[in-house]
Each structure stands twice: as C-alpha cells, then as structure tokens.
Amino acid sequence: ALPICYFSLKTGLTEYDTAKANLAAAQMITAADSLKTNEIKGDSTGTLKQTAADFAATMSGSAKGLIGEADLVKKKREFALISEALYNLIRTVRYDRQKFYHQHCPMAFNDEEEAWWISDKSEIANPYLGKKHPKYKAGMLECGDITDSLDFTK
C-alpha cells in the first residue's frame, strides 16, 4: 500500500494537483503508520525492523509536513524527504513483487539543487519540474536520469 500512495503523491505533484497530492499524503501517513515492521524476516538482532520503522516514521512525518504546506515548492521539498526514506525502506526490507527506479533531477529546486524520486517505470516523469512549471511549463517533464534500480521480483 505504501508504494501505491507514494506513486499517487508523485502523480499529484507532477500534475500540480495539490488536492490529489494532499489526499495521497494522508493515505501515506496511514500506510506508513501501520507498516508491519514486526513481520520482517531474517532479522535476529531487530536492527532491520528498527531501521524500517525509522524510515516509515520519517515518511509519515514528512507527509504530515507536506499536507501542512501551502507552497508547492515546500510540498516538493517534503516529497524529496519522503522519496529518500522510501528508497532506503525498499532497500532495507527488500520489498518484493516490484521493480523500482531511483530517479534523479539535477535542477529540482532553483535550477541548481538536485533531488531524487522513486518510479515504477523507467520513463522519466519529473515530479519536481512537472507539467506546469512556472518557467518551463511541461518542457522539462522528461528531464532526469535513473541512478539505481531495485528489482525484488525474483
């Protein structure tokens, strides 16, 4: 459920639809807060469970922050934090049944600050520059590159 909420949030930001982004963030809070980290297998020390719980808490907190922000750029900064937490969560728990792409925008903020996001597709649909950027409109929607892929479908 967590990746589904995340992808809905990414789409909302890409489309500059703050209502959709806020709804997805609210769903993400519920999903992150109810993540069953106690079901992680092969964790004799409890370190993986604690690490996963920490990443889920970061996602929940940033999703709450995103909802509370009126400014779209500030929402996207919270999204950047959520993206990194999800990327690390996926790597920690080796989430199965899906392939994920860790994608990168070199100019996400002020044309000079980079940021990353997760996608379930190799095609770039940049949520930071999106479809209605004030400067670029939809011209930079496909700007970015894949920095990593996580394939736990096997």
Side-chain angles (χ1 to χ4, degrees), residues 34 57 65 89-90 110 131 136 147:
S34 62
L89 177 67
I90 291 167
N110 303 317
K131 294 182 177 178
Y136 303 114
T147 58

Side-chain angles (χ1 to χ4, degrees), residues 64-122:
K64 289 173 187 165
L66 185 148
I67 292 168
E69 292 291 353
D71 180 71
L72 188 61
V73 173
K74 290 180 180 173
K75 284 184 182 299
K76 290 181 179 188
R77 287 197 181 276
E78 293 290 351
F79 175 74
L81 297 172
I82 292 167
S83 296
E84 283 310 291
L86 180 60
Y87 175 64
N88 287 311
L89 177 67
I90 291 167
R91 291 181 4 187
T92 300
V93 301
R94 303 181 66 78
Y95 185 81
D96 61 355
R97 302 179 306 276
Q98 260 184 296
K99 185 171 186 174
F100 299 99
Y101 298 91
H102 193 225
Q103 298 178 336
H104 167 253
C105 175
M107 48 190 278
F109 301 106
N110 303 317
D111 289 350
E112 58 192 36
E113 288 179 61
E114 60 187 358
W116 289 260
W117 72 96
I118 307 292
S119 181
D120 56 348
K121 299 174 181 62
S122 61

Side-chain angles (χ1 to χ4, degrees), residues 6 44 95:
Y6 175 85
S44 58
Y95 185 81

